[in-house]
Amino acid sequence: MAFHPDKCNVLSVTTKRQPLKHNYTLHNHILESVTSAKYLGITLQSNLKWDKHIDDNISKANKTLGFLRRNLKTSNQNIKSQAYQALVRPKLEYSCSVWDPHTSESISKIEMVQMRAARYACNRYHNTSSVSNMLNTLNWPILTQRRLRARLVMMYKITHQLVAIPSSTILIPSDSRTRKHHSHTFRHIYTSKDSYRFSFFPYTITQWNLLPTTVVNTQTVDSFRDQLTYAVLSTII
C-alpha cells in the first residue's frame, strides 16, 4: 500500500509560542502543515482543543434538524422525537467520551441544538414557552448527562478489560487509608494543563470515584448501564 501525499498532512501538537518547524516529505512531496485534521471522524487540533470538532458537529446537526423541519411536517410528537433521536442526536454524540467539553460556552452551544429540536417536536415556538418543560415532556435528558454516562460506561469497560485500552499505568488504586466511596476508587491525576485535566482519564476518574458502590460493583455492562440512572448522574455531575 502506498500513501498519496496529497491526502496526507502534518499536524504538530504543541503549546509553544514559537514551535520548531520542519518540512516532512512523502514520495519527494512536501506535506502540508495544518492546524486541524480529521481522524476517524474526530477533528483534532494542534492546540488540543475541541472547538472546531464541536462547531462542525453542531453545524451538521442543525442542517439535519432543518431538513426534518422542512420535510417531516407531522403533528405527531412521537414521530418527530424519534426522528431527532435517530438522525440529529447521534451527530452530537459521536465519540463524545473523547471530546466531552468542559467550558460553559461549548456546553451551551450543544444544548441549544436539542432545545431547538424540542420546540420542533412539541411545535411550540413562542419565546415564553418553557423549553425545560418540553424536555421533561419528551423525556429527553440534557446532553451533558448523556455524555457523562457515555464516559462512565467506557470507564467500566476499561476497568474490566472489555476494550483494548491499556490503563495499568494510569488507573492506580487509591490508598486504602484515604476516605473513598467504593473499593474501585482510583488516584486522581493532577495537572496544570486544561487540555490534559479535562481529557478522558483525569476528567472521568473524579466522577467515577463518586459513584455508589452498588453501581460500580455490577457484574455486566448492561447492568451497570441500567444502574447508571440520570438521578445518579445528577449527584456527581
Side-chain angles (χ1 to χ4, degrees):
M1 178 183 294
F3 291 99
H4 198 294
D6 289 340
K7 296 184 178 180
C8 300
N9 44 47
V10 176
L11 176 68
S12 299
V13 178
T14 179
T15 58
K16 293 182 178 180
R17 295 182 179 180
Q18 296 180 336
L20 297 176
K21 295 183 179 180
H22 179 75
N23 289 330
Y24 294 88
T25 61
L26 180 64
H27 303 316
N28 298 321
H29 179 87
I30 298 178
L31 298 180
E32 178 187 8
S33 294
V34 296
T35 57
S36 65
K38 184 169 289 188
Y39 180 71
L40 297 178
I42 303 294
T43 302
L44 305 175
Q45 293 179 239
S46 58
N47 57 7
L48 293 180
K49 294 184 179 181
W50 299 105
D51 300 344
K52 182 169 175 50
H53 177 78
I54 292 172
D55 289 343
D56 289 346
N57 280 9
I58 290 174
S59 177
K60 292 177 183 177
N62 279 328
K63 288 178 181 177
T64 304
L65 180 59
F67 174 84
L68 292 178
R69 292 179 61 177
R70 292 190 303 271
N71 295 277
L72 191 60
K73 299 181 181 297
T74 177
S75 59
N76 191 310
Q77 182 174 291
N78 289 332
I79 292 178
K80 291 191 285 187
S81 177
Q82 292 176 18
Y84 161 73
Q85 294 177 69
L87 300 175
V88 180
R89 194 165 66 185
K91 297 183 185 301
L92 296 172
E93 296 184 332
Y94 174 73
S95 296
C96 61
S97 58
V98 175
W99 54 264
D100 187 8
H102 67 279
T103 62
S104 57
E105 180 182 2
S106 295
I107 292 172
S108 297
K109 288 195 295 185
I110 298 172
E111 294 292 347
M112 284 297 295
V113 180
Q114 178 159 272
M115 291 179 183
R116 285 190 286 269
R119 289 187 179 276
Y120 160 70
C122 297
N123 196 31
R124 295 168 60 187
Y125 295 99
H126 199 276
N127 57 9
T128 60
S129 300
S130 173
V131 179
S132 297
N133 290 339
M134 297 181 207
L135 294 175
N136 291 332
T137 300
L138 295 165
N139 197 27
W140 291 355
I142 61 174
L143 298 178
T144 303
Q145 286 186 335
R146 287 181 57 84
R147 291 193 300 273
L148 172 58
R149 191 168 187 258
R151 284 192 290 108
L152 291 172
V153 170
M154 178 59 70
M155 186 74 165
Y156 180 93
K157 293 179 180 179
I158 293 172
T159 57
H160 288 75
Q161 300 180 350
L162 300 177
V163 290
I165 298 179
S167 60
S168 58
T169 59
I170 301 175
L171 297 180
I172 302 174
S174 63
D175 194 324
S176 59
R177 295 170 297 179
T178 61
R179 182 180 179 182
K180 56 183 180 180
H181 289 75
H182 50 77
S183 58
H184 297 287
T185 302
F186 297 107
R187 189 180 302 173
H188 290 275
I189 300 175
Y190 298 99
T191 175
S192 60
K193 298 289 185 181
D194 283 352
S195 56
Y196 185 42
R197 183 189 306 167
F198 295 103
S199 62
F200 176 80
F201 280 112
Y203 198 16
T204 308
I205 285 175
T206 301
Q207 293 150 328
W208 170 269
N209 290 346
L210 295 175
L211 287 174
T213 302
T214 54
V215 176
V216 175
N217 289 339
T218 52
Q219 299 301 310
T220 65
V221 176
D222 290 336
S223 60
F224 177 78
R225 191 180 286 109
D226 292 339
Q227 292 284 334
L228 203 59
T229 63
Y230 292 107
V232 172
L233 294 176
S234 63
T235 64
I236 64 175
I237 198 167

